[in-house]
């Protein structure tokens, strides 16, 4: 979008979806940018429906310890990833997008909320900043056939479930003839540690440990944790429709409560001086306005 197109859009709809992905190994059948493609395609479909804006995606993400060493996986240290997210949030806010949905497509849901709260603590400006992990919006659509769902196995990584979603959203980037299967394993009996997205609601989150299972490069050099060959677009279709419906509803509810230009009440969102907040809300090019960076730098 050009600068002029952005200014016009802000008058019509000042909500923006930020796809937050990663670059990592997803087996021989799926692209390294899979996590980014997933949330970018989702965001585009929502934007076509509601008229909001989609930001350029975050291509490189944070990773848990067990991802270390896998070729194709680019591990960004947490402090750098947090700094990048804070900077993106600040830049979009200064641009006029004060309502932001960070749509996450990667196993970094334990990091993103920290970036949001660090931004809020530093700047204390009114706005809406939401971390939405796409799989958390529709947990009922990840059930196995035994549980009344579509899948043979539970969601882990580049497996039946994730491959099915990729085939539903970007089949042109997939090479199913190269798909392989592996057998997931841990060191304790099933029931303690959760799997991807913590969708099984087990006591220990998938990221809440080190040592209860092997690292990927040792146990799954194929880059797949599960049965990728079982992936089918049809298995993800109902879940995809439900997810898009939810994101549209979230967008519409935010826009109904806060139409373009309206923000949460200043006196309930910050303890900074009123004149200071009013100036940055006006923006750096308005008379009497200021940039958000006059309040601080997103270090």
């Amino acid at each position: 979008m050009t600068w002029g197109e952005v200014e016009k859009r802000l008058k019509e709809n000042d909500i923006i979806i930020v796809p937050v992905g990663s670059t990592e190994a997803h087996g021989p059948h799926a692209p390294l940018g899979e996590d980014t493609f997933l949330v970018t395609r989702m965001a585009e479909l929502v934007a076509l429906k509601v008229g909001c804006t989609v930001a350029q995606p975050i291509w490189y993400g944070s990773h848990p310890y067990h991802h270390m060493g896998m070729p194709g996986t680019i591990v960004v240290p947490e402090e750098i990833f947090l700094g990048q997210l804070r900077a993106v949030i600040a830049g979009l806010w200064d641009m006029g997008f004060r309502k932001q949905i960070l749509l996450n497509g990667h196993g970094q849901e334990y990091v993103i909320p920290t970036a949001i709260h660090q931004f809020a603590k530093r700047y204390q400006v009114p706005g809406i900043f939401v971390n939405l992990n796409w799989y958390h919006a529709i947990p009922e659509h990840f059930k196995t056939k035994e549980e009344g769902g579509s899948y043979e196995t539970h969601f882990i990584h580049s497996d039946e479930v994730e491959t099915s979603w990729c085939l539903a959203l970007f089949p042109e980037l997939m090479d199913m003839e190269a798909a392989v299967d592996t057998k997931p394993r841990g060191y304790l009996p099933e029931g303690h540690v959760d799997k991807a997205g913590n969708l099984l609601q087990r006591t220990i989150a998938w990221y809440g440990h080190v040592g209860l299972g092997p690292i990927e490069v040792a146990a799954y050099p194929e880059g797949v944790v599960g049965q990728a060959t079982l992936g089918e677009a049809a298995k993800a279709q109902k879940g995809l429709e439900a997810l898009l419906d939810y994101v549209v509803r979230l967008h519409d509810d935010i826009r109904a409560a806060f139409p373009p230009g309206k923000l949460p009440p200043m006196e309930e969102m910050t303890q900074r001086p009123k004149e200071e907040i009013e100036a940055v809300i006006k923006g750096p090019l308005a008379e009497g306005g200021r940039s958000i960076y006059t309040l601080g730098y997103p270090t």
Side-chain angles (χ1 to χ4, degrees):
M1 298 172 70
T2 66
W3 196 353
E5 289 171 331
V6 169
E7 291 180 337
K8 180 181 178 183
R9 176 67 58 79
L10 286 168
K11 296 175 182 177
E12 302 166 351
N13 190 325
D14 55 1
I15 298 173
I16 193 165
I17 301 176
V18 185
V20 185
S22 73
T23 298
E24 68 170 338
H26 278 92
H29 68 294
L32 298 175
E34 176 179 309
D35 291 343
T36 310
F37 291 132
L38 281 168
V39 285
T40 303
R41 287 282 167 93
M42 293 169 185
E44 289 169 346
L45 289 169
V46 170
L48 289 170
K49 175 77 172 178
V50 302
C52 68
T53 303
V54 179
Q56 298 178 76
I58 307 294
W59 278 101
Y60 302 99
S62 174
H63 291 261
Y65 169 66
H66 67 267
H67 284 187
M68 295 283 287
M70 277 298 289
T73 296
I74 297 176
V75 181
V76 177
E78 283 79 8
E79 64 273 15
I80 295 174
F81 182 68
L82 289 170
Q84 181 182 29
L85 287 183
R86 292 194 304 268
V88 169
I89 294 170
L92 291 173
W93 196 95
D94 206 45
M95 194 188 305
F97 291 106
R98 277 84 192 261
K99 298 142 194 178
Q100 304 177 21
I101 299 173
L102 277 64
L103 183 59
N104 175 48
H106 171 60
Q108 56 201 0
E109 61 260 34
Y110 59 100
V111 184
I112 297 172
T114 299
I116 291 175
H117 285 276
Q118 288 178 346
F119 167 85
K121 291 171 184 176
R122 174 174 295 276
Y123 291 105
Q124 300 181 47
V125 291
I128 296 171
F129 313 96
V130 176
N131 170 210
L132 174 58
N133 307 303
W134 67 267
Y135 33 83
H136 287 168
I138 50 166
E140 68 278 10
H141 286 280
F142 292 94
K143 293 180 179 179
T144 63
K145 289 182 178 178
E146 289 183 354
E147 300 163 336
S150 302
Y151 303 103
E152 302 289 341
T153 58
H154 288 122
F155 179 25
I156 305 182
H157 172 70
S158 199
D159 57 343
E160 174 192 10
V161 177
E162 196 167 15
T163 296
S164 295
W165 279 76
C166 294
L167 290 170
L169 283 164
F170 44 87
E172 72 279 8
L173 300 182
M174 304 293 286
D175 180 10
M176 289 305 292
E177 291 184 2
V180 298
D181 297 335
T182 64
K183 186 176 181 179
R185 59 186 177 89
Y187 301 145
L188 299 184
E190 279 288 307
H192 293 289
V193 180
D194 218 320
K195 300 186 187 300
N198 298 319
L199 297 169
L200 302 179
Q201 298 186 331
R202 292 176 177 172
T203 305
I204 302 172
W206 70 266
Y207 51 76
H209 75 95
V210 168
L212 295 182
I215 61 175
E216 188 177 0
V217 72
Y220 314 107
E222 301 86 352
V224 172
V225 187
Q227 296 178 271
T229 62
L230 296 178
E232 298 176 12
K235 294 179 178 179
Q237 196 59 45
K238 288 184 179 179
L240 176 58
E241 292 172 3
L243 170 67
L244 296 176
D245 286 346
Y246 173 75
V247 183
V248 167
R249 178 161 62 90
L250 174 63
H251 167 278
D252 290 350
D253 286 347
I254 292 173
R255 191 177 187 191
F258 302 99
K262 182 179 179 181
L263 295 171
M266 183 190 313
E267 66 277 8
E268 296 180 0
M269 293 295 296
T270 180
Q271 291 190 324
R272 285 188 180 275
K274 181 180 179 181
E275 61 276 10
E276 190 175 62
I277 296 299
E278 288 177 338
V280 295
I281 288 176
K282 287 180 180 179
L285 300 183
E287 184 177 352
R290 293 165 49 188
S291 163
I292 191 174
Y293 302 112
T294 62
L295 302 179
Y297 186 67
T299 55

